[in-house]
Amino acid sequence: MTTTFDQSLRFEDLGLSQPVLQALDMKGYSEPTPIQAQAIPPVLAGRDLMGIAQTGTGKTAAFMLPSIDRLRDADNQTPFKSCRMLVLAPTRELAGQIAQSAKDYGALAGLKVHSIVGGTSVNKDRNKLHRGTDILVATPGRLLDLIDQKAFRLDGVEILVLDEADQMLDLGFIHALRKISELVPAGRQTLFFSATMPGQIKELVGKYCHDPVHVSVTPAATTAERIDQYLFMVQQDEKQALLELVLSERHPVPGSFERVLIFARTKHGCDRVVKKLAQRGIPANAIHGNKSQPQRERALGEFKSAKNPILVATDVAARGIDIPGVSHVINYELPNVPEQYVHRIGRTARAGRDGVAIAFCAEDERAYLKDIRKTTDAEFERLPLPENFRAVVEGVGPTKPPPKQPRQRVQPKPKGGAPAGGKPNRKHPNRKGKPAHAGQGRPGGGQRRNRRRRSANS
Ligand code: AMP
């Protein structure tokens, strides 16, 4: 069954309780997002649910709000060494964000919320879960550790949520999920969320859900509408120099930098980019699986507060990060799975804002680009490389901005003749507005929609 969505719905119309409505009011949310409007009524009615939705659509509240009400209504005791609602998330960051939402939304409902993730002290987790909790948000690995140690059981679970299920599969959590599904009571409610719906996910849904209601807010693998997508065709060995020029605004790109999230394919690749940027006087943080939990938290914290607004990430680490104000996503290396491209660029254009995605495509990545175009219908506007770029890469010449480029926002600070030196303008006057280049002769010019339709001539 698929639900229809009534655009005029308000939270009050969805059957939520007063404490939850009050918590929403405190958060300043007045209207449900489409996934919330579709999901809340059936979840409140106790149905299982399969939701196709990316991060940024409001899906956390879509499962958390009605679940809080169901937990309140059932009024069961908090089970010893167990939980009433279990939310599984693929990454530590996402688990932390979901737990925070649960605390916010459940503030007046009197429910205990905990989260457990890898990379932190197991003993602390054992202690904090000894008396049980109402809502537990966990990454699968850490949860199984505690279960194996007999420090936690799943027999109290009334509601099971699998969030970003496709990512959990990508990360190899399939065995953990199977094991967990065997340990939860058969009569629990299951809420399943995934950004994409590959065959394996369909199979899992068939196994774990009972007659689920299907809701969907974006067709799988459709690129967000508000993101302008650009493309540099650039050789592999030129990418670092191009990145430095772009970030220091010596080679301006559309949009005003607020926060820039850069994707590399490997952990090592992330570190290399960060190190080389640092050598050019451009501070950036890396976030990936080899970083300790405190390092990851610090990098995210600095990105969030814009203390350091450049973050270089692998797919896994960045998945589910919900940080408003990511103005640019730079695909330093293209992902080999088109859906991953959708996830990556979905980090920008959040909360109704516009965003810019820039792909650096080398000759040997053309096949990936083709796949991305085919799967997502994305249309890229090609951007020119700096005029004397090869000379810059080889360290024999300073770069000049290409002709007819709009203003230079940050004065270059060359270091001993080095091509790049500055960092993104952190106090940009255009923070809340549209990209600074809109209608100001951005490369390619023209209207936004037209630009999106125009293909790169690569
Ligand atoms: P999510 O997709 O759950 O990661 O949510 C994306 C962002 O939207 C989060 O920052 C939420 O706090 C925010 N959000 C969720 N629901 C609403 C709503 N109904 N109105 C405004 N913002 C919301």
Side-chain angles (χ1 to χ4, degrees):
M1 165 182 152
T2 303
T3 53
T4 47
F5 169 53
D6 175 356
Q7 295 279 347
S8 60
L9 278 176
R10 295 168 311 145
F11 277 120
E12 287 77 2
D13 304 324
L14 300 178
L16 294 166
S17 69
Q18 271 312 316
V20 167
L21 290 175
Q22 264 174 281
L24 284 170
D25 202 39
M26 276 154 52
K27 294 270 287 178
Y29 301 163
S30 50
E31 283 167 14
T33 65
I35 188 79
Q36 291 161 5
Q38 291 180 64
I40 289 173
V43 176
L44 270 179
R47 296 286 304 269
D48 282 4
L49 185 101
M50 167 68 227
I52 302 280
Q54 294 177 28
T55 308
T57 53
K59 69 181 163 63
T60 312
F63 65 74
M64 198 52 85
L65 301 174
S67 297
I68 287 171
D69 270 350
R70 280 185 56 74
L71 294 175
R72 285 182 71 242
D73 282 351
D75 200 21
N76 293 331
Q77 291 230 319
T78 310
F80 185 67
K81 279 193 186 181
S82 188
C83 62
R84 300 180 59 200
M85 176 179 184
L86 172 64
V87 183
L88 294 173
T91 63
R92 301 163 190 182
E93 284 74 22
L94 183 61
Q97 284 168 19
I98 296 171
Q100 189 53 53
S101 297
K103 284 177 191 160
D104 293 347
Y105 300 138
L108 305 173
L111 298 171
K112 273 202 280 183
V113 180
H114 282 106
S115 73
I116 53 168
V117 296
T120 59
S121 154
V122 177
N123 282 340
K124 271 194 192 154
D125 285 347
R126 289 171 68 111
N127 291 339
K128 77 182 176 194
L129 291 179
H130 190 68
R131 286 171 184 277
T133 182
D134 294 303
I135 301 175
L136 179 68
V137 188
T139 49
R142 173 53 58 95
L143 179 65
L144 283 183
D145 283 350
L146 288 176
I147 291 171
D148 289 345
Q149 293 177 18
K150 309 237 176 301
F152 201 73
R153 297 191 310 253
L154 299 182
D155 51 3
V157 174
E158 297 161 44
I159 305 172
L160 171 67
V161 180
L162 286 93
D163 198 12
E164 308 231 341
D166 49 354
Q167 180 71 356
M168 288 206 261
L169 292 191
D170 289 351
L171 291 174
F173 285 140
I174 182 74
H175 297 299
L177 294 185
R178 283 212 182 103
K179 190 158 176 202
I180 290 166
S181 73
E182 282 162 14
L183 297 172
V184 287
R188 92 273 164 179
Q189 183 179 19
T190 306
L191 313 177
F192 208 106
F193 284 84
S194 183
T196 55
M197 189 72 170
Q200 223 183 347
I201 295 282
K202 278 190 197 139
E203 235 181 274
L204 278 183
V205 172
K207 227 185 235 163
Y208 297 163
C209 297
H210 172 69
D211 186 22
V213 172
H214 287 258
V215 298
S216 169
V217 287
T218 37
T222 297
T223 315
E225 263 289 290
R226 293 187 314 276
I227 304 174
D228 277 345
Q229 297 174 70
Y230 297 92
L231 170 71
F232 280 112
M233 290 306 299
V234 57
Q235 292 181 36
Q236 202 65 50
D237 69 344
E238 297 172 341
K239 285 188 175 181
Q240 184 73 30
L242 181 62
L243 183 66
E244 289 162 16
L245 292 170
V246 165
L247 291 178
S248 63
E249 302 188 85
R250 299 194 70 196
H251 187 63
V253 293
S256 304
F257 287 138
E258 190 171 337
R259 288 180 192 78
V260 185
L261 184 55
I262 299 162
F263 283 95
R265 221 173 289 143
T266 63
K267 302 168 193 172
H268 187 61
C270 283
D271 287 338
R272 201 172 38 229
V273 169
V274 165
K275 193 171 153 202
K276 289 192 170 164
L277 286 176
Q279 285 165 2
R280 299 292 189 188
I282 304 174
N285 282 320
I287 184 163
H288 54 64
N290 281 359
K291 296 280 182 189
S292 67
Q293 190 60 16
Q295 283 173 323
R296 288 160 74 130
E297 279 167 15
R298 187 178 55 81
L300 268 187
E302 291 190 2
F303 191 59
K304 222 176 215 167
S305 67
K307 183 176 174 205
N308 192 338
I310 306 176
L311 189 62
V312 188
T314 55
D315 288 310
V316 169
R319 187 69 193 271
I321 290 179
D322 174 31
I323 294 181
V326 176
S327 55
H328 291 71
V329 168
I330 297 182
N331 282 293
Y332 184 83
E333 284 155 331
L334 292 188
N336 50 7
V337 180
E339 281 80 8
Q340 204 66 55
Y341 176 82
V342 179
H343 294 314
R344 287 182 178 189
I345 69 167
R347 303 306 94 218
T348 183
R350 296 171 84 76
R353 299 168 72 162
D354 288 339
V356 172
I358 301 172
F360 286 13
C361 180
E363 213 34 60
D364 59 358
E365 292 171 304
R366 272 181 188 269
Y368 301 156
L369 182 66
K370 200 169 152 201
D371 274 357
I372 290 168
R373 281 192 171 126
K374 211 167 103 192
T375 316
T376 68
D377 266 344
E379 302 227 2
F380 294 86
E381 180 178 338
R382 186 159 169 187
L383 296 175
L385 291 169
E387 240 184 11
N388 50 351
F389 186 47
R390 196 62 219 172
V392 174
V393 173
E394 283 161 13
V396 294
T399 182
K400 278 194 296 187
K404 286 202 223 141
Q405 285 290 339
R407 64 200 164 79
Q408 295 272 315
R409 290 183 295 266
V410 172
Q411 286 307 310
K413 289 184 213 152
K415 273 194 162 183
K423 48 189 167 180
N425 186 354
R426 288 169 184 173
K427 293 197 173 119
H428 206 279
N430 195 36
R431 240 161 208 246
K432 294 203 175 78
K434 286 202 157 225
H437 296 257
Q440 290 179 20
R442 291 206 241 182
Q447 298 295 309
R448 286 170 56 81
R449 302 255 156 232
N450 292 344
R451 279 201 320 274
R452 203 175 284 127
R453 300 277 160 261
R454 217 182 311 133
S455 290
N457 51 352
S458 60

